[in-house]
Amino acid sequence: MIDSWSPWQIYTDWQPDLNSFKETLDGGQAFCWNSIDEYSYQGVVLNFPLRLRWLENKQVEWSCIPGQNEGAEKLLSTYLGTNKDYRAYYDTLPWRSDSHLKRCIEAYPDLRILGQPDGETLLGFLCSATKQIVQIKEMIQLVRSRFGRPLEDQMNQLPTWADLTTIEESALRACKFGFRAANIHKAAIKIAEEDIDLSALSSQPYEEAKDALCQFPGVGEKVADCTLLFGYHKLEAFPVDTWILKVMNRHYGLDDWSPKQVAHFGRIHFGSYAGLAQQFLFAWERSFGSK
DNA sequence: GGATCACCTTC
DNA sequence: AAGGTGATC
C-alpha cells in the first residue's frame, strides 16, 4: 500500500554499531521483528506497527503508521531505552577483571536490553521452552495473525491476555504451541479470574515480582527472569538457559553446576546489572562460541 | 533435596 | 536436540 508508512525519523538516543543493532532487536529478547533487508526491520509492538533501520553513520531511524507518531515515539523511548545511562551500567560490570566478559562487550558495544510490554514478553517466553528463536517467532506470528486485532496492511496486534481467555487450547496447539498451549490457556484464565494486573509487578521488587510470575503454569525461574529482564527492565534478573550453562562451563569453569547454582554465581559475580552481562555472554556464545 | 522423564513438534 | 517446567521417586 502506498503511503502507509510515515517518513523516517531519527532516533537520537541510540547510535549502535550494526551487530549491536541486529542483536538487540533479533537476538532473542523479542520475537516480533522481521528483517526487511540487511539494515532494517519491521514489527508490531502493542498496536503500533513500526519500522527501524540502521544507517552507515550509526544513525537509527524509525517509521510508523501516519497518525501514530506521538504514541510511537513514546513507546520507542521505553522500548529502546531513552535516557538510560548504559555507560554507567557497563562501568559496574566486572570486565576489568573478567577478560571473557570484556571480549563479549567489545563484540556488541552498543547492545541494549529492550523494555517490552510486559504482557507480550510473558507470552513470548511462555512459548520458549525447548524452542529455537525462529520457531518461537513462527508461533507468535501465527497466533498474532489468527487471533490478534487487525491493524494496517495485514498486520495484527498480538492477542492480549484477555483475548487469550477466549482462545481454546486446541486453537493454540494449531499455532504450533505444542504442550505450551495448556500453560498459556491456564495462565490467561488465572489472570482473568484473579483479576491480576501484570503491570503492577513493575513497582514490586525483583524477588516479589519473580515469585508472582512463578505462580503461573509454565513459568519457572528462567521464564520469570526473561520476563523480568526484557519486560520489566529489572536488570538484576539473570536468566540461566542452556546457553548460559554452556558459557559458565566453558569460560568460567563451572562444571556440572545446576541452573540454580549458576544463577546465584551470576548475581554475585556480575552484580546489580547481571542481566545485561548475561545478554553479552549469550550473544557472543551464539555467534562465536563454537559447538 | 537432587535426578530423571514426559510433554508437542519440527529442523 | 531445541532458550524449560512440573511431576515423581
Side-chain angles (χ1 to χ4, degrees):
Chain A
M1 218 177 273
I2 310 290
D3 285 329
S4 68
W5 292 92
S6 71
W8 291 103
Q9 302 193 58
I10 299 171
Y11 188 78
T12 54
D13 283 311
W14 188 34
Q15 287 92 41
D17 59 287
L18 182 57
N19 282 340
S20 299
F21 176 72
K22 292 175 138 182
E23 186 65 26
T24 298
L25 293 178
D26 204 17
Q29 297 189 50
F31 307 106
C32 63
W33 295 102
N34 291 306
S35 56
I36 301 171
D37 57 45
E38 202 188 337
Y39 303 107
S40 50
Y41 290 91
Q42 178 172 313
V44 176
V45 181
L46 296 176
N47 60 327
F48 293 92
L50 295 167
R51 286 182 168 177
L52 288 167
R53 75 172 175 185
W54 180 91
L55 303 177
E56 295 286 347
N57 60 0
K58 294 189 168 187
Q59 189 162 286
V60 171
E61 295 187 330
W62 61 277
S63 169
C64 64
I65 300 298
Q68 285 194 323
N69 259 53
E70 201 176 325
E73 185 163 27
K74 193 170 175 192
L75 177 69
L76 278 174
S77 72
T78 301
Y79 198 86
L80 299 175
T82 307
N83 297 328
K84 301 272 192 236
D85 192 351
Y86 270 81
R87 199 69 62 88
Y89 296 170
Y90 301 145
D91 204 51
T92 70
L93 297 180
W95 51 268
R96 293 173 183 81
S97 58
D98 181 337
S99 60
H100 180 64
L101 177 63
K102 184 163 185 279
R103 171 166 66 171
C104 297
I105 295 176
E106 285 169 351
Y108 300 96
D110 300 304
L111 185 69
R112 292 209 164 181
I113 299 294
L114 295 176
Q116 300 177 74
D118 42 32
E120 298 192 354
T121 314
L122 178 59
L123 180 58
F125 285 96
L126 268 170
C127 293
S128 71
T130 64
K131 284 287 180 192
Q132 304 188 55
I133 293 168
V134 268
Q135 296 175 294
I136 302 166
K137 285 172 72 168
E138 190 186 0
M139 295 155 70
I140 290 291
Q141 181 53 40
L142 276 171
V143 76
R144 184 191 288 281
S145 61
R146 290 182 188 175
F147 301 105
R149 184 162 76 84
L151 303 171
E152 308 281 315
D153 279 358
Q154 313 290 331
M155 290 181 286
N156 297 77
Q157 183 169 348
L158 195 64
T160 64
W161 281 100
D163 295 335
L164 285 162
T165 60
T166 67
I167 305 173
E168 295 295 336
E169 182 188 328
S170 58
L172 293 175
R173 281 180 181 264
C175 294
K176 306 192 178 184
F177 278 37
F179 63 79
R180 302 154 198 82
N183 291 333
I184 289 164
H185 184 69
K186 285 180 196 154
I189 302 288
K190 180 180 167 71
I191 290 172
E193 284 185 347
E194 299 175 24
D195 198 23
I196 293 170
D197 178 9
L198 285 179
S199 70
L201 296 185
S202 67
S203 61
Q204 295 185 7
Y206 165 71
E207 292 291 351
E208 277 178 40
K210 184 167 178 178
D211 287 342
L213 286 174
C214 286
Q215 297 305 111
F216 291 108
V219 178
E221 291 208 38
K222 190 271 179 185
V223 169
D225 275 332
C226 286
T227 306
L228 290 166
L229 183 56
F230 309 129
Y232 291 91
H233 212 73
K234 294 193 183 297
L235 270 61
E236 64 267 56
F238 187 79
V240 175
D241 60 18
T242 54
W243 287 100
I244 293 301
L245 282 175
K246 190 182 293 184
V247 168
M248 290 304 169
N249 181 343
R250 303 169 94 191
H251 302 288
Y252 293 81
L254 310 190
D255 264 346
D256 289 322
W257 284 39
S258 72
K260 210 173 186 67
Q261 291 168 323
V262 168
H264 181 69
F265 174 90
R267 284 190 288 270
I268 302 289
H269 180 67
F270 297 113
S272 303
Y273 299 95
L276 179 59
Q278 179 271 166
Q279 206 57 29
F280 285 118
L281 299 172
F282 177 81
W284 191 94
E285 198 67 21
R286 287 206 317 136
S287 295
F288 305 115
S290 55
K291 303 158 193 169

